[in-house]
Amino acid sequence: MKKIFHLIIYILLSDFSGMAQNLSFSRQDSISVAIQGKKLENPWAGGLNFPQFSEIDFNGDGIKDLYAFDRSGNQSITYLNKGISDSICYTYSPSYALKFPSDLHDWVLLADYNCDGKEDIFTYSNGGMAVYRNDFTLQTGLHFTRITDLVMSDYGNNNIVNLYLSAPSLPAIADIDGDGDLDVLTFDISGSFVEFHKNMSEEKYGNCDSLEFVSADRCWGKFAGNFSSNSVKFGVSCKGGPPQLPSGTEKHSGSALLAIDLDGDQDKDLLIGDLISKNILMITNGGTSANAVGVAQDSAFPSNTTPIKISLFPATFYLDVDNDGVKDLIAAPNAGNISENDRGIWLYKNIGNTQSPNFIFQKTGFLQDQMIDVGEGANPSMLDYNHDGLMDIVIGNYGYFSPSGTYKSQLMLLKNIGSSQKPAFEVKNTDYAGLSAFPLAGMHPIFGDLDADGDPDLICGRADGQIMYFSNQAALGALPNFIMNDASYKQIDIGDFSVPCIYDLNEDGLMDFIVGEKSGNLNYFKNIGSSLIPDFTKSPDNNFLGKVDVMKNCCGGYSSPVFFKENGQTKLLCGSESGYLFYYDQIQNNLNGTFHLIDSSFQHIFEGAISRIAMEDLNGDGKADLVIGNYKGGISIYLQDGGSGIANESIEEKNIHIHPNPANSILNIATEQRGCNTIELYDIAGRCIYTENNSVKNTQIDISGFKNGFYICKISNQERCIVKKIIIQH
């Protein structure tokens, strides 16, 4: 019952030659992925949910690159711009993300406050914002220095307190009054009026390199926001004291602002995205740069083309995307539980100029259409679905957004079209096994033989904590045909977000269930059946296995376990809500004790919040590799390197001939050279059913007594092993 293709790794990695500290992985971004015959430019970029975009030069080549900060996991995402004129040509470059502070959260906008030509960091901090100065040099590269934990502003009468900003909102950081330094527009604490915080740097010091603000206008634009829609009421007066709310205009706190000159009159107009609305509202400034007065509003912006209509809380960003010297417009969801999570980024080309733009809709899914993005939450597994000896990738998800406001979970199949040494993939099916027919969220697939017929069945964790079982009804050797067998397998229900794993944890020859969950612990279900007919109780034998707890100080844990052998010992890698991988040992003969936590941020691998992992050999080197999913809907591949694998190859795969395949009564194994080799056969449950040591070129194995099914033939010597999948069919 062992997960069929965990079997290969279970065999190959049953005894690593290296120690734990030598287990090492390297991120791979060059593995190609195609969809409908066209290669994706950045397939492993990791998905996007709620990105905020800015431009910045990462490497000092004079070309503005692309920075995105995604609220979903508080992650910095970096793209190098190739700078080809009139072309969108970004290359995902995660190494630059490591240059940004690791504690950024909620929102990040980049703007040059000290006029040195280098964009600095403005980010949310405790009811306001912190600022990091960009200290890039060609010698030291990209580097940021925190200059203030909290920007202050004088609200009058020397009442100097934090310049108020809410966590969900995005301020407009721009030179509002045209004096050369950066000012700030933000909604007040009631969410009703836009405040203008004027930077006094030029006035006080004659330069722009300070951040000293005064609250210069408590109702910039002389308007107030409406409570029930993304619209405003004009004619609000601030004279004689704080502004008074017109009846019915009180707003909640949650807006995304962008201040740009939309009509070429050299003052700033305003674009507003709202927490409860789908549209972007344009406010036309009929006043001046020093005294803004809103005179017109457009709730269908941009009305000359396809208006922005994102399911909830859109935000806009102004930067040159296509290297034509003119800034374009990007719209994206800023936050929320309901949003287009795989096609949510809208691109508008500016066919005017930066001073007087004219936006024309180009497409949805900007950047997302060049990456693997399965919506919200990526849950990877691996399966050789077409029996070609190459590992394919199956990705479950929390769900794709639907207009009804719900999420629908599906499986994506990435077919491996490469070789055993060099994987490459194509998107074969975005609704593999037709699971979209089941109105469920949070499907996490794994594969194993639950009905003892020799082929892999499909087991899916669910957001509601139960487990679904689909029996593979295909003929042996045919493409899988998964049919619903049990929507609530063995009545197992661990609460929320079940993540199943199959492994013989107590080493009794029977494959057990270990199930992760939202709370961050692991549930152990001992197999009380037989090797042919597994069975489990509906309640775990241990609901706090190994005292594993990957929960953060708040929220959930979302444990995602993978067990494997290293140096003859069982080890555990566990994904978590934090995104980091937890690494444990001291597991064998310790199922009622406490596993030893080696590392709570294994190799500092971080691909975004709620990491989900699969572990298989993707490149035929006998070492388990990692596929890591994240809550932004993307996946990443890490190939194992370092000193923990088997040494240089001595048995060439081309010198091994196993025939016939499928086999009936006799299996012939031929090698082109003599040598002391070990031949082993393993069934789908991982049991060794045949072993022989010999030094002859030709070996015949009587398989007439073996059941029909898939088997693994392993041929090894002291330096290397070759693994072949065979089918026995009488």
Side-chain angles (χ1 to χ4, degrees):
M1 193 203 70
K2 176 125 179 107
K3 181 181 174 186
I4 184 170
F5 295 117
H6 272 166
L7 170 61
I8 297 175
I9 293 306
Y10 182 84
I11 296 169
L12 291 181
L13 301 186
S14 61
D15 191 5
F16 274 130
S17 61
M19 298 301 289
Q21 60 267 29
N22 291 328
L23 187 62
S24 177
F25 296 86
S26 297
R27 198 182 199 284
Q28 302 294 313
D29 292 309
S30 61
I31 297 172
S32 68
V33 177
I35 182 168
Q36 297 179 345
K38 185 177 180 180
K39 286 187 177 181
L40 300 180
E41 294 178 4
N42 299 289
W44 313 106
L48 292 166
N49 279 350
F50 311 123
Q52 304 149 8
F53 293 99
S54 301
E55 54 186 3
I56 179 176
D57 184 359
F58 293 139
N59 55 4
D61 64 356
I63 300 171
K64 293 297 183 184
D65 305 303
L66 183 64
Y67 173 81
F69 181 80
D70 200 306
R71 287 185 189 267
S72 185
N74 293 318
Q75 186 176 6
S76 292
I77 303 165
T78 49
Y79 287 85
L80 275 179
N81 186 356
K82 296 179 183 177
I84 301 174
S85 180
D86 296 313
S87 298
I88 300 174
C89 45
Y90 293 110
T91 300
Y92 181 55
S93 304
S95 61
Y96 290 101
L98 301 176
K99 304 293 185 180
F100 284 79
S102 60
D103 58 349
L104 303 176
H105 58 91
D106 291 290
W107 58 260
V108 176
L109 297 171
L110 307 184
D112 178 14
Y113 84 86
N114 57 356
C115 303
D116 64 355
K118 297 176 290 189
E119 284 76 13
D120 309 294
I121 295 174
F122 293 78
T123 184
Y124 179 74
S125 174
N126 194 27
M129 65 180 174
V131 180
Y132 293 78
R133 186 181 63 237
N134 184 346
D135 289 331
F136 174 90
T137 67
L138 291 175
Q139 291 74 31
T140 62
L142 193 63
H143 174 70
F144 294 97
T145 302
R146 191 177 181 112
I147 63 168
T148 180
D149 292 329
L150 205 57
V151 171
M152 312 300 283
S153 185
D154 188 345
Y155 281 78
N157 299 319
N158 205 34
N159 180 27
I160 302 174
V161 295
N162 60 295
L163 195 166
Y164 173 76
L165 295 163
S166 71
S169 296
L170 291 180
I173 302 173
D175 182 6
I176 302 299
D177 56 7
D179 66 353
D181 52 24
L182 285 183
D183 310 301
V184 176
L185 294 179
T186 181
F187 270 98
D188 70 346
I189 197 168
S190 75
S192 303
F193 305 100
V194 172
E195 295 181 340
F196 169 41
H197 292 268
K198 176 179 172 59
N199 191 348
M200 301 300 294
S201 183
E202 286 286 355
E203 286 77 7
K204 284 188 174 183
Y205 309 113
N207 57 57
C208 62
D209 66 358
S210 297
L211 295 168
E212 296 191 21
F213 294 94
V214 297
S215 177
D217 192 341
R218 301 291 293 274
C219 52
W220 184 92
K222 311 302 182 287
F223 62 81
N226 286 317
F227 176 76
S228 59
S229 66
N230 190 18
S231 61
V232 300
K233 183 172 182 178
F234 293 120
V236 175
S237 174
C238 293
K239 294 182 179 180
Q244 299 298 310
L245 287 171
S247 177
T249 58
E250 184 174 357
K251 265 175 79 74
H252 51 80
S253 180
S255 298
L257 306 182
L258 177 66
I260 58 176
D261 186 359
L262 290 166
D263 51 14
D265 64 354
Q266 299 184 2
D267 60 33
K268 291 293 191 289
D269 308 295
L270 195 63
L271 298 181
I272 305 176
D274 188 82
L275 183 63
I276 62 170
S277 299
K278 301 178 180 181
N279 66 309
I280 289 290
L281 179 68
M282 181 187 76
I283 304 295
T284 300
N285 182 2
T288 66
S289 58
N291 183 26
V293 178
V295 296
Q297 59 184 308
D298 181 0
S299 61
F301 176 84
S303 55
N304 64 305
T305 185
T306 303
I308 296 168
K309 191 176 181 180
I310 292 173
S311 57
L312 196 66
F313 202 1
T316 50
F317 309 92
Y318 198 38
L319 59 157
D320 182 8
V321 170
D322 55 7
N323 297 295
D324 64 355
V326 178
K327 290 190 175 184
D328 308 295
L329 190 73
I330 300 174
N334 183 45
N337 294 323
I338 302 175
S339 68
E340 293 92 337
N341 46 29
D342 66 320
R343 302 288 298 181
I345 306 172
W346 295 37
L347 174 63
Y348 291 79
K349 179 177 174 60
N350 185 355
I351 62 172
N353 56 59
T354 300
Q355 291 71 38
S356 184
N358 181 11
F359 300 118
I360 301 297
F361 173 74
Q362 300 296 295
K363 63 178 178 179
T364 62
F366 170 64
L367 295 179
Q368 294 168 302
D369 60 6
Q370 294 300 316
M371 66 175 68
I372 298 167
D373 191 335
V374 296
E376 205 150 317
N379 308 322
S381 186
M382 283 185 263
L383 165 75
D384 181 6
Y385 89 101
N386 57 350
H387 318 303
D388 63 355
L390 305 177
M391 282 297 168
D392 311 297
I393 299 175
V394 178
I395 312 169
N397 63 355
Y398 176 72
Y400 293 100
F401 169 81
S402 66
S404 65
T406 60
Y407 287 92
K408 182 177 288 187
S409 188
Q410 297 176 197
L411 303 185
M412 176 183 283
L413 171 62
L414 300 183
K415 178 184 177 182
N416 191 341
I417 59 174
S419 67
S420 59
Q421 289 79 36
K422 188 177 181 180
F425 297 93
E426 68 173 359
V427 179
K428 187 69 174 177
N429 194 330
T430 58
D431 189 16
Y432 183 57
L435 265 61
S436 65
F438 300 91
L440 297 170
M443 289 191 180
H444 191 293
I446 62 170
F447 300 92
D449 186 9
L450 289 187
D451 53 11
D453 64 353
D455 58 20
D457 304 306
L458 170 60
I459 304 101
C460 268
R462 297 170 22 174
D464 63 5
Q466 299 182 62
I467 294 173
M468 302 176 75
Y469 164 43
F470 297 81
S471 175
N472 185 356
Q473 297 296 309
L476 195 63
L479 295 180
N481 178 25
F482 297 114
I483 303 298
M484 167 64 75
N485 183 286
D486 192 342
S488 182
Y489 182 65
K490 300 298 181 182
Q491 300 182 36
I492 291 172
D493 186 349
I494 52 83
D496 293 300
F497 292 93
S498 56
V499 180
C501 170
I502 299 175
Y503 190 86
D504 181 8
L505 199 58
N506 62 354
E507 299 186 334
D508 64 353
L510 306 178
M511 296 303 150
D512 308 306
F513 260 161
I514 305 95
V515 185
E517 63 164 291
K518 181 179 179 179
S519 295
N521 55 295
L522 299 181
N523 300 272
Y524 173 54
F525 295 83
K526 179 183 176 182
N527 188 344
I528 57 174
S530 67
S531 59
L532 296 180
I533 305 176
D535 194 15
F536 307 92
T537 60
K538 68 177 182 179
S539 299
D541 296 272
N542 186 342
N543 65 1
F544 200 9
L545 177 67
K547 306 300 186 292
V548 170
D549 185 358
V550 298
M551 181 183 289
K552 302 196 310 185
N553 291 331
C554 70
C555 317
Y558 293 92
S559 49
S560 171
V562 169
F563 290 88
F564 60 98
K565 287 280 189 177
E566 181 193 13
N567 199 29
Q569 298 296 314
T570 298
K571 302 293 176 70
L572 166 65
L573 277 176
C574 193
S576 68
E577 183 182 28
S578 72
Y580 291 102
L581 307 184
F582 288 63
Y583 185 28
Y584 295 86
D585 66 0
Q586 297 182 14
I587 296 170
Q588 287 164 294
N589 302 314
N590 190 30
L591 301 189
N592 293 317
T594 301
F595 298 166
H596 173 238
L597 178 60
I598 302 171
D599 193 349
S600 61
S601 58
F602 176 68
Q603 283 199 253
H604 301 288
I605 292 173
F606 179 77
E607 294 297 332
I610 309 187
S611 53
R612 298 288 175 86
I613 54 179
M615 197 170 183
E616 304 286 358
D617 181 8
L618 281 171
N619 61 352
D621 64 354
K623 295 179 282 189
D625 307 306
L626 288 175
V627 177
I628 304 175
N630 66 72
Y631 199 67
K632 301 191 312 302
I635 64 172
S636 308
I637 289 181
Y638 284 76
L639 297 182
Q640 190 177 158
D641 50 26
S644 60
I646 302 172
N648 294 331
E649 182 174 353
S650 65
I651 305 177
E652 295 287 344
E653 186 171 356
K654 64 184 180 181
N655 293 334
I656 299 292
H657 305 280
I658 301 177
H659 64 94
N661 194 9
N664 187 321
S665 58
I666 298 295
L667 184 67
N668 298 286
I669 301 174
T671 62
E672 294 183 5
Q673 63 185 33
R674 291 179 180 273
C676 185
N677 300 318
T678 299
I679 299 173
E680 298 165 285
L681 286 182
Y682 292 81
D683 64 13
I684 194 172
R687 296 181 296 264
C688 183
I689 60 173
Y690 178 89
T691 183
E692 177 181 349
N693 295 310
N694 67 42
S695 59
V696 299
K697 289 185 176 182
N698 297 288
T699 301
Q700 287 189 331
I701 303 175
D702 182 0
I703 57 172
S704 59
F706 297 159
K707 289 179 55 180
N708 288 348
F710 289 99
Y711 293 81
I712 298 298
C713 180
K714 176 187 175 186
I715 304 169
S716 60
N717 59 27
Q718 291 181 343
E719 295 182 340
R720 185 59 171 163
C721 67
I722 293 297
V723 172
K724 291 284 191 179
K725 184 172 64 178
I726 62 172
I727 298 173
I728 295 178
Q729 193 167 22
H730 302 299

